[in-house]
Amino acid sequence: MDHFDAIVIGAGVIGCSVAFHLAQFGARRVLVLERGGIGTGTTSQSSGILRTHYTVPENVALARASWSAFENFQAYVGDDEASAGLVRCGYLIASPDGPKLGALRAGIDGQCRQGITVHELDAKQATELLPIARFDDAALIGYEPDAGFADPYLVASGFARSARRLGAEIVEGADVQMLLHTDGKVTGVETSHGRFTADTVVSAQNVWARDIERWTGIPTPVAAERHSVLALEGPQPYTNRMPVYKDLGCAGMLYYRSYGGAQMLVSEGVAGETLQAPDNEQGPIEMDYILDVGAQVAERFPVYETAGLASSWTGVYDVTPDWNPVLGRVADMHGLIVAYGFSGHGFKLSPAVGRVLAQEALGLATDVSLAPYSLERFRTGALLTGKYGVGAVS
Ligand SMILES: Cc1cc2nc3c(=O)[nH]c(=O)nc-3n(C[C@H](O)[C@H](O)[C@H](O)COP(=O)(O)OP(=O)(O)OC[C@H]3O[C@@H](n4cnc5c(N)ncnc54)[C@H](O)[C@@H]3O)c2cc1C
């Protein structure tokens, strides 16, 4: 039987980040158990967008700290060969008069208060940045230059590689079948590879976090929700120099970015299809859905009216009732730390989340307070709902 300082369940971008930071803070024996391969869970399905535009101040703080890591990824993980695949193209967000305008105003003001550089643009300035889109209906346009997108798989595997270099063990193909606990204290895990003991277990299981409820009886309010992502090929390219764009004026709250330097990646920012069981297998994308999204795209990007579908995939969000994650210790199980419920916006937070959870696991002061992210909020009603209401923009 092997004993570890900390065991991490799941080697998605969150689990790998936790493991890297644990090792960096000096934890000597760290074990990561992953039933598939590194980054092959929902991380590999992500759109990879990075921005600090949030209306929840703690999310702004985590996203800002994470941006510094993405921007200097090689130095951050201490590996000259690492790459986050970062494209710093900026983030545009626009709203017409209507229900989302107040939230956008609040988000921009909040970012400014937290020291983030955000510019308010007029339609002409926005068109200069994204000439294939129209902004004639916009009542407010925010532009965040320090934003863009990165490659979630590269980031997860970069964290994993550096965690290993610092001494962490990452075992792929190892299914955790049970959390072991006695008298309300974690003692280890039972796995397809045998039993491992530790006083600290970090669950970074995403939609599969419901295992915790099965293993401990502690409620785990997370639903698996499937979303579709489309890559469109239009008559004019959506280049890497063009910013990510969030359209608060359309029914699907669509977000857009360049894909491969020429195609347009587009996906919805509203609720998806709830799955009965956690599963990130590919699901169907109906023609009616493609036509509906295509019509919204053509409304905003008239030149894309004749665009073709180049590729598509589905991905699964781990959604909590307020669309924000549960992070930190679980009150009724000493030694259990959780990170689930990223609700479609966890990649941009992953470096800082890994760092604060490692701090929490090692009894260090956390850079950002974890109190607002506690599981308790669903009992007390102190929800972390952002000004946009439910949805990944939060
Ligand atoms: C379509 C889509 C688009 C997205 N777009 C964005 C975006 O633009 N920007 C952004 O910031 N975020 C985005 N996200 C969200 C972001 O990608 C996720 O929040 C993040 O990747 C989650 O990482 P994770 O490590 O929590 O989960 P995962 O990558 O799912 O990792 C969890 C791992 O745990 C393993 N596991 C679970 N249970 C067990 C067990 N019992 N034993 C062993 N292993 C186990 C799984 O196999 C899995 O590999 C998007 C997500 C999707 C699906």
Side-chain angles (χ1 to χ4, degrees), residues 63-373:
R64 178 174 51 186
S66 295
W67 173 259
S68 310
F70 289 119
E71 233 190 347
N72 305 293
F73 195 63
Q74 291 184 348
Y76 191 81
V77 296
D79 178 355
D80 288 347
E81 291 179 9
S83 168
L86 177 68
V87 175
R88 184 184 177 277
C89 55
Y91 179 81
L92 262 185
I93 179 165
S95 174
D97 271 327
K100 301 292 186 260
L101 187 59
L104 178 56
R105 174 83 273 155
I108 293 173
D109 290 350
Q111 283 178 292
C112 292
R113 274 197 303 277
Q114 288 182 255
I116 308 275
T117 302
V118 190
H119 305 297
E120 286 183 32
L121 306 184
D122 59 26
K124 184 167 168 289
Q125 292 168 313
T127 308
E128 279 163 17
L129 290 171
L130 190 56
I132 53 177
R134 46 172 281 267
F135 295 95
D136 48 329
D137 60 337
L140 181 58
I141 305 172
Y143 176 61
E144 199 183 315
D146 286 339
F149 56 90
D151 185 317
Y153 179 76
L154 282 181
V155 172
S157 52
F159 276 134
R161 188 173 136 120
S162 289
R164 277 178 165 150
R165 185 173 35 78
L166 294 173
E169 286 180 51
I170 303 179
V171 184
E172 297 171 89
D175 186 26
V176 177
Q177 296 158 341
M178 180 64 78
L179 180 76
L180 304 172
H181 50 97
T182 310
D183 299 331
K185 286 187 184 157
V186 164
T187 56
V189 291
E190 189 73 57
T191 82
S192 56
H193 285 37
R195 180 171 288 206
F196 303 98
T197 62
D199 296 336
T200 298
V201 172
V202 182
S203 161
Q205 294 177 254
N206 201 273
V207 286
W208 299 275
R210 284 197 225 162
D211 283 347
I212 296 164
E213 190 158 336
R214 202 160 46 80
W215 294 333
T216 65
I218 295 169
T220 309
V222 63
E225 208 179 83
R226 186 182 280 149
H227 288 252
S228 299
V229 184
L230 310 179
L232 305 180
E233 178 116 18
Q236 286 180 33
Y238 195 131
T239 70
N240 269 339
R241 296 163 63 103
M242 295 178 180
V244 172
Y245 174 53
K246 176 74 179 176
D247 183 358
L248 297 172
C250 66
M253 301 260 290
L254 298 179
Y255 64 80
Y256 302 87
R257 49 157 271 206
S258 174
Y259 186 58
Q263 294 175 353
M264 166 194 280
L265 180 153
V266 55
S267 188
E268 283 190 307
V270 291
E273 176 201 357
T274 301
L275 305 177
Q276 289 317 306
D279 168 17
N280 70 329
E281 291 298 310
Q282 287 300 295
I285 305 180
E286 306 295 343
M287 185 53 80
D288 282 354
Y289 174 85
I290 295 169
L291 292 174
D292 177 42
V293 171
Q296 294 179 62
V297 172
E299 182 70 23
R300 179 61 57 199
F301 293 81
V303 73
Y304 271 66
E305 192 169 4
T306 56
L309 183 65
S311 62
S312 61
W313 66 91
T314 62
V316 182
Y317 290 6
D318 50 338
V319 177
T320 62
D322 62 8
W323 283 68
N324 272 301
V326 178
L327 302 174
R329 293 187 180 276
V330 175
D332 296 331
M333 186 58 63
H334 189 79
L336 177 61
I337 292 176
V338 295
Y340 64 79
F342 290 96
S343 306
H345 57 97
F347 174 57
K348 62 180 65 61
L349 308 178
S350 57
V353 164
R355 185 174 154 92
V356 292
L357 289 181
Q359 289 170 330
E360 180 72 9
L362 298 173
L364 305 170
T366 58
D367 295 343
V368 173
S369 170
L370 291 174
Y373 295 101

Side-chain angles (χ1 to χ4, degrees), residues 13-14 34-35 42-43 46-47 49 176 205-206 344 346-348:
V13 73
I14 299 296
E34 165 57 55
R35 68 155 72 97
T42 67
T43 292
S46 179
S47 302
I49 291 169
V176 177
Q205 294 177 254
N206 201 273
F347 174 57
K348 62 180 65 61

